[in-house]
Amino acid sequence: MTETSATPQKQGAAVKPLVSIENVHKFFGDHHVLQGIDLQVNPGEVSVIIGPSGSGKSTLLRCINLLETISAGRIYVHDALIGYRERNGRLHDLSSKQIANQRREIGMVFQRFNLFPHKTALQNVIEAPTQVKHQSKTAAKLKAHELLEMVGLSDRANYYPAQLSGGQQQRVAIARALAMEPELMLFDEPTSALDPELVGDVLEVMKNLAKSGMTMIVVTHEIGFAREVGDTLTFMDAGQVVESGNPREIIANPQHHRTQEFLSRVL
Amino acid sequence: MREAQAGTDGGLDLIKAIPVRHPGRWIGAAVILLVVALIIQSLVTNKNFRWETVGKYLFDILVLQSIGWTLLLTVASMIIAIVLAILLAFMRQSENPLFRYVSWAWVWFFRGTPVYTQLVFWGLVSVLYPKIVLGVPFGPEWLSFDTQTIITALVGAIVGLGLNESAYLAEIFRAGLKSVDSGQMEAAEALGMRRSKIMWRIVLPQAMRVIVPPTGNETIGMLKTTSLVLAIPFTLDLTFVTNTIANRTYLPIPLLIVAAIWYLVITSLLMVGQFYIERYYGKGVDNITHKPVKATAAAAAAHAGGTPNSSGTVKGQQP
């Protein structure tokens, strides 16, 4: 029996990755932050990236939706080259409009939430659908209420971010990103700025999102989440992928001494 | 009563400390009262103030009309200045280097020359360019106007004040835009919003919190800078009119007081307006009403059988 029911791919055909990161390098001045990263994420997969601070994991994530530009290599999302157009063997910068269009398909959740403080939770969620996708306010609100309910905050729709706890703010931020119906969600240390007792609610929402089949790339320090929810785990250090594979195997039995060292410190 | 009961309940002994005494404050207050009394006494008894003349001209029709003109100059020039300042501040943050240079040069020029000089220039512009011509540069003319019919004294005054002010406001707006956390820009970009939309809908509304107080300051400053329009010459504003009356009646002091009173009244009104504008742009940040968590109230609630709201989360007033 071959797996056919799990994914809509044709029998026998290899699953085409949704995200394909190929030999990506990034320099900040003289600092070589990413040193040839290769990473692939299949549709519906949860790819967790761990590593010490300064290892380049957040930078890699930011490169995927063009908050940073890469110095070398290629990033493809859904077969589209991110940030450039290739013509006659040369790369051309995309216009700001084309960049905005690429970003629409990619949701991002930030460590510090970055909710719009002058807008209520509901207004935060409907901002992009109404302004970018030009949905009607009524339709956007309907969808926003669904999303807020999904993240367990249906009673907080009219609260301003300053009136919400960190965990609630982060869940609104997830709802805000989902409102654009992205095919890929990026999480940049989504629980690192939270008080310990608030982390669980956010992870729960992310877990449900993963179950629903969302493709996710999660940069985190939550090893438990990686083990439980992750389909692949990538350990990065000093701008390189040190080890990558099944999360449970890597956590239980890390092959590389740098992975062993890191895991012994965080577990 | 309840606190007292609470104390006798043996449940909770609320602290009732004796506050620190401040004898210096009482002495200071007495000195200030004395000085104020002296000032009032001199105002009342010194005949040279000529209060009856102040009263006579305070609501004089010429004075009232001049207030209207002064207000028109202030409001119109500030509107021009604010529109230009937003544009200049956006241009200064633009990725387009041309925009950045033009914005910088504009601020450099209009901030770098005295407003009086600029106003005199606007008064003389019809000498410099008697005709305004629309057409192809070095080519045919389509339309031409007499400069004097377009740039009247009023237009010259409004444009002159507005352009000068735009340079100062542009710097205030730039500071405001810079004060907004860069994470806001990133979050909006990640949602696929375009830069102009991010500026208008996300960055500027937050920057307004920082922009409004100094802009209110500038508006009040503008109210008084309008007295310089005699440089054009524009002769209908409050200062010019009260001066003219003073020269005619040989009574400068009461007419100065008339002008001062009206400037104070308008300034006070502007301050009220500023209060409401600040409150509007503070929504979500400044005007969140935290539930009072007074120790006494909390204790009272606890003894009344309720649970005090001592958690970190606060319920706010909903708009």
Side-chain angles (χ1 to χ4, degrees):
Chain A
M1 285 288 284
T2 46
E3 292 181 28
T4 47
S5 52
T7 50
Q9 307 291 329
K10 275 187 189 143
Q11 198 173 345
V15 178
K16 217 168 185 198
L18 179 69
V19 182
S20 184
I21 297 169
E22 298 171 4
N23 195 24
V24 162
H25 290 257
K26 168 76 183 168
F27 291 90
F28 281 126
D30 289 338
H31 187 37
H32 201 171
V33 196
L34 299 178
Q35 307 178 5
I37 303 288
D38 287 292
L39 186 72
Q40 306 209 315
V41 184
N42 291 329
E45 205 174 70
V46 177
S47 173
V48 179
I49 305 176
I50 58 169
S53 57
S55 59
K57 56 195 193 308
S58 281
T59 306
L60 178 65
L61 206 63
R62 292 164 60 83
C63 287
I64 297 174
N65 76 346
L66 283 164
L67 290 177
E68 308 283 354
T69 52
I70 56 177
S71 312
R74 299 281 188 277
I75 297 177
Y76 295 92
V77 175
H78 220 144
D79 288 333
L81 179 59
I82 290 293
Y84 303 96
R85 195 178 49 228
E86 207 158 9
R87 191 184 283 167
N88 302 332
R90 288 216 58 185
L91 289 185
H92 298 256
D93 283 329
L94 290 185
S95 71
S96 61
K97 187 176 181 178
Q98 291 164 322
I99 289 174
N101 283 342
Q102 287 193 334
R103 282 175 172 148
R104 284 191 202 184
E105 309 296 327
I106 305 169
M108 180 144 185
V109 173
F110 297 86
Q111 182 178 356
R112 304 203 49 81
F113 331 134
N114 296 349
L115 287 181
F116 307 133
H118 59 304
K119 292 180 181 293
T120 63
L122 184 72
Q123 288 170 338
N124 265 278
V125 177
I126 66 168
E127 177 68 15
T130 54
Q131 293 300 316
V132 180
K133 280 191 166 173
H134 304 292
Q135 285 179 8
S136 76
K137 251 194 169 159
T138 349
K141 275 186 183 169
L142 214 65
K143 172 89 181 156
H145 280 295
E146 270 172 40
L147 287 167
L148 286 174
E149 193 171 338
M150 197 192 91
V151 299
L153 292 171
S154 43
D155 56 335
R156 293 288 189 272
N158 293 319
Y159 281 52
Y160 284 103
Q163 295 168 312
L164 300 172
S165 73
Q168 292 171 333
Q169 287 188 53
Q170 192 61 297
R171 284 184 279 152
V172 174
I174 293 172
R176 179 177 69 174
L178 290 175
M180 285 297 283
E181 296 171 328
E183 55 186 357
L184 169 68
M185 284 284 285
L186 309 175
F187 292 85
D188 187 7
E189 303 199 26
T191 56
S192 296
L194 297 178
D195 290 337
E197 80 271 20
L198 303 175
V199 169
D201 289 339
V202 173
L203 291 181
E204 192 62 33
V205 167
M206 290 168 63
K207 208 185 294 177
N208 290 336
L209 191 59
K211 271 189 210 148
S212 76
M214 176 64 76
T215 314
M216 298 161 62
I217 304 180
V218 184
V219 168
T220 187
H221 292 293
E222 297 290 331
I223 304 298
F225 177 84
R227 183 165 35 204
E228 199 184 331
V229 185
D231 293 309
T232 59
L233 179 68
T234 303
F235 173 69
M236 279 179 69
D237 191 19
Q240 290 165 330
V241 171
V242 176
E243 204 168 326
S244 188
N246 181 300
R248 286 152 292 275
E249 281 169 21
I250 290 182
I251 292 165
N253 187 19
Q255 296 301 308
H256 202 283
H257 72 92
R258 280 194 282 181
T259 321
Q260 292 164 5
E261 215 174 282
F262 176 77
L263 285 174
S264 71
R265 269 184 282 129
V266 295
L267 279 176
Chain B
M1 273 312 282
R2 192 164 250 158
E3 285 90 335
Q5 280 167 1
T8 52
D9 274 351
L12 199 55
D13 193 10
L14 294 176
I15 294 172
K16 289 211 182 84
I18 295 158
V20 176
R21 304 293 178 202
H22 297 284
R25 292 181 189 173
W26 289 103
I27 297 167
V31 171
I32 290 168
L33 274 178
L34 184 69
V35 172
V36 170
L38 282 171
I39 292 172
I40 291 174
Q41 192 225 11
S42 90
L43 285 176
V44 173
T45 58
N46 189 338
K47 293 287 176 236
N48 293 333
F49 280 110
R50 292 184 183 269
W51 290 105
E52 72 288 349
T53 315
V54 173
K56 184 178 162 198
Y57 285 105
L58 196 57
F59 296 102
D60 187 278
I61 185 68
L62 287 174
V63 172
L64 292 182
Q65 280 172 346
S66 72
I67 293 166
W69 286 110
T70 293
L71 281 176
L72 175 71
L73 288 174
T74 307
V75 171
S77 57
M78 282 309 284
I79 288 173
I80 290 178
I82 287 171
V83 171
L84 283 173
I86 293 174
L87 203 66
L88 288 164
F90 282 0
M91 284 168 71
R92 193 68 187 275
Q93 295 214 330
S94 167
E95 284 161 353
N96 183 338
L98 264 166
F99 285 165
R100 288 203 302 274
Y101 298 149
V102 168
S103 170
W104 181 89
W106 181 286
V107 171
W108 169 77
F109 180 80
F110 283 101
R111 208 170 52 163
T113 50
V115 62
Y116 191 86
T117 311
Q118 289 173 32
L119 288 172
V120 173
F121 170 84
W122 283 106
L124 293 174
V125 81
S126 62
V127 178
L128 205 53
Y129 298 104
K131 277 188 181 303
I132 296 174
V133 176
L134 285 179
V136 182
F138 310 110
E141 295 179 7
W142 293 332
L143 278 172
S144 81
F145 306 95
D146 274 340
T147 305
Q148 266 180 321
T149 60
I150 291 181
I151 303 188
T152 59
L154 177 65
V155 172
I158 290 171
V159 171
L161 291 171
L163 295 197
N164 177 73
E165 184 61 33
S166 73
Y168 291 92
L169 279 183
E171 289 294 283
I172 290 172
F173 276 67
R174 185 166 71 93
L177 295 181
K178 275 185 141 178
S179 75
V180 177
D181 179 38
S182 61
Q184 293 291 311
M185 187 84 167
E186 288 186 350
E189 282 182 335
L191 287 167
M193 289 174 78
R194 300 283 303 281
R195 211 181 155 88
S196 54
K197 208 151 228 178
I198 297 173
M199 280 300 195
W200 272 113
R201 297 193 50 90
I202 306 299
V203 179
L204 188 61
Q206 293 181 55
M208 287 305 280
R209 269 186 70 236
V210 177
I211 289 169
V212 170
T215 302
N217 209 22
E218 290 293 309
T219 309
I220 289 166
M222 175 62 82
L223 173 69
K224 284 159 297 178
T225 308
T226 57
S227 61
L228 291 181
V229 291
L230 81 147
I232 294 239
F234 182 86
T235 55
L236 298 169
D237 75 293
L238 181 57
T239 295
F240 197 93
V241 167
T242 50
N243 261 336
T244 312
I245 298 172
N247 292 340
R248 201 177 63 211
T249 56
Y250 299 106
L251 292 169
I253 290 170
L255 267 304
L256 283 176
I257 292 172
V258 168
I261 288 173
W262 278 116
Y263 280 121
L264 264 176
V265 168
I266 301 170
T267 301
S268 309
L269 292 176
L270 289 174
M271 285 166 75
V272 173
Q274 184 182 336
F275 170 80
Y276 285 103
I277 297 174
E278 274 183 39
R279 203 170 66 168
Y280 175 77
Y281 283 109
K283 70 176 180 226
V285 182
D286 293 329
N287 55 2
I288 288 192
T289 47
H290 295 256
K291 241 187 183 171
V293 195
K294 275 189 173 171
T296 49
H303 281 270
T307 47
N309 181 8
S310 56
S311 64
T313 53
V314 287
K315 283 196 175 159
Q317 202 178 44
Q318 297 307 310

